Amino acid sequence: MSTTALTGGTVIDSSGSRQVDVLVDQGTGQIAEIGTGISGADRTIDVAGQTIIPGFVDLHVHLRQPGNEAAETIESGSRAAAVGGFTAVVAMPNTTPCTDSAAVVNEILAFGRTALCEIKPSAAITIGRDGEALAPMGELAGLGVRMFTDDGTGVQDAQLMRRALEYADSMVVNDGTNIVLSQHCEVTALSQGGVMHEGEWSSRLGLGGQPSEAEELMVMRDIALARLTGARVHMQHLSTAGSVAAVRAAKAAGYPVTAEAAPHHFTLTDAACADYDTCFKVHPPLRTASDVEAVRAGLADGTIDVIATDHAPHTADAKELPFDQAPPGMVGLETAFAIANTELGLSIEQLVQVMSSRPAEIGGLGDRHGGPIEVGRPANLCVIDADEEWTIDRAQLAGLSSNTPFHGKNVRGRVRHTIFSGEVVVLDTKPLR
Amino acid sequence: MKNLVTIADLSRGEIEQILDLAESFAETQTRAIPKVPALRGKTVVLAFFEDSTRTRTSFDLAARRLSADVVNFSAGSSATNKGESLRDTVETISAMGVDAIVVRHASSGVPSQLTQWTEAAIVNAGDGWHQHPTQALLDAYTIRQRFGSLDGRKIAICGDINHSRVARSNVQLFTKLGAEVILVGPRTLLPPSLAGWPVKVEPDIDVLLPEIDVAYFLRIQQERLSDGLFPSVREYRSLYGLTLDRSHRLRPDALIMHPGPMNRGVEIDAQVADDPRAVVLNQVSSGVPVRMAVLYSVLGPGQFDTKFEAIEAASLPERQPTKNLVGEDYVADKQVKGDR
């Protein structure tokens, strides 16, 4: 099967909305034709009442391969991504071994070749994510890495972070993209021992807390380092009102910072931990209602550039530990669009911006992802029904792990089909391989 | 009552019923044979994932004096560190057919988590910094013995509140029973937020001494010193310890309490620990009847509204083999103890 026609739907991308059919070609991987009354395709999918948009791009996923293939693999994670409408994901480097060498980057790229979406590895800023010595950023950039991060932990040493920013800024990649350092903002001296947000609930539950300030201090420090070096810093998973305010001020001052937020941080609060359900344990932790409001406001006014899931699969066994011992993280690829569409009150155009176009630009994927939907562009698309109501069921997830915090939640908006490089990888919500 | 996980789940009425029941059981403890057949045929597992001498011994005695079979599951906190999930552990225990699991764990929330995975009754014997409900019940029982009621009493809880399951349970229990609770300690040892806590905070213990009915001191762990939460034991004692001098300023009818084990010379001076107003050993002896009442409340046939007279009446028809059973129980008990 080489060509597929999507007929009767509405196309929405950064250039607006129009009623047209789209023909994609798996042979070339491109959009072959846009127009009305397209016929003669090998397969025709009636998408009347649905919306064709650029496939989503996730700057923050944990695919667990190499190292923890019981929780997720590149293949299974890409399947979850495809079901969620993502056509590209940036894999975090906290693998085992750590993604800090050409060997591991090449292994991830090799597994990624048969995945159901584009797998873009990120790599560690420091060797072993230990925060002590720079990883070979130049060599890894040569293999296609565009984001560097010690995600799971922040680079604690301000001088080392300054050097990393300056060094990365001088790497020449010659393809119109940039290298960006992406920071997990957390001053561990202040968050140490914390397994949830520090506040009313941690005090009541007798659990160690991470104060908001542990995140905000590093956000503020990295804004200062962006000012000092002029190099770009991307702030991962902002979760506090103070972080959002700091980034807003930094952008107003013209500093080169971008930011992301995760669906759980604009929907859930620390009260969700009341029963010690480890599905709600995540870093940065779920915060308070006013933080949730601030993250939403940040997404609405562009302070926060993108939604990134921080998809973090864990086996059931790993999560069935005492709350303070269970690993942090929640899966999110398959539910991100529905949660965002249900909770944020953004238009489809805005959601395309924060879930596709903007992350594609930041991640160095803009030549292939994020639109616009035009003839000759790579056919990385998804088709959504913005009005479909459904209930999230952890037993139905396509990934290997089911640690979603949204089990049982009624949501509106669903990804019906996903097309990656001209191939229909998800049809009627089901992965085809 | 299906489980006892946190004092927050109990109403004032339920608390008073447990304390009344404990009084009935206390009476049986003065008899020549303190054992009653109330829970004969029931199996209670003591699953202590964290070391404990007094709480385990107290639960062990309480269960045996109710004629329950008692099994010690000594896991050590390391069982979960070996990679066995908590759920596997509790499902393994449950699969042996047990009626109640008394659980002690170094991590907050474990008893609450276990209720999701077992049909057995869960009794919390202390979880992390979170709750120690039977300690709170025996403390209230001890105060009630002296004052008749907690209503209107002023209770100061002094020391490491943040890392104390005893404090969290006692604040809830004492205030539910009508007492006024004042927390005393440096900010570094108080919870980061006291939102929703029906308490007052007083940083200066000396202003409280003449006006409180109960002075409750918490154990200071060496770990807090190494974490830098206060500068030295010497300074802690001088600012927050119940020194001999401070004890002279307590009212003559005040109670001095401590959950044990005491650090004499740190939070409480050695001479004060032996002051007649100190009821630390009464607290310990209250433990057995209170835990009998808790075990009976979760496992007994009649739930809360059953008075102890009814327990005795219900057990009468089964009296005839009692002598032999007592003998066998005794042998079995010895064996279990020998295993440890």
Side-chain angles (χ1 to χ4, degrees), chain A residues 193 198-209 274-278 316-326, chain B residues 77 80-81 83-88 105-110 112-113 117 127 129-130 168 191-197:
Chain A
E198 178 180 299
E200 180 178 347
W201 278 99
S202 70
S203 297
R204 192 173 302 169
L205 295 170
L207 290 168
D275 295 328
Y276 299 92
D277 184 340
T278 57
D317 265 17
K319 279 287 193 180
E320 285 163 359
L321 286 174
F323 196 92
D324 57 356
Q325 293 175 25
Chain B
S77 289
T80 46
N81 294 342
E84 182 176 8
S85 85
L86 203 55
R87 181 178 186 158
D88 282 350
H105 203 289
S107 295
S108 296
V110 165
S112 174
Q113 290 175 289
W117 300 319
D127 63 324
W129 307 342
H130 175 226
R168 282 188 178 75
S193 165
L194 289 172
W197 293 46

Side-chain angles (χ1 to χ4, degrees), chain A residues 9-70:
Chain A
T10 305
V11 167
I12 293 183
D13 62 9
S14 48
S15 58
S17 164
R18 54 223 179 261
Q19 289 281 141
V20 282
D21 300 341
V22 176
L23 183 72
V24 299
D25 184 343
Q26 188 173 345
T28 62
Q30 293 179 345
I31 296 170
E33 190 183 343
I34 294 178
T36 47
I38 289 178
S39 61
D42 299 320
R43 175 193 311 198
T44 298
I45 305 172
D46 178 4
V47 297
Q50 300 173 8
T51 309
I52 305 165
I53 58 177
F56 300 131
V57 175
D58 194 341
L59 293 181
H60 196 140
V61 303
H62 297 272
L63 298 180
R64 305 296 186 217
Q65 190 174 22
N68 188 7
E69 289 83 354

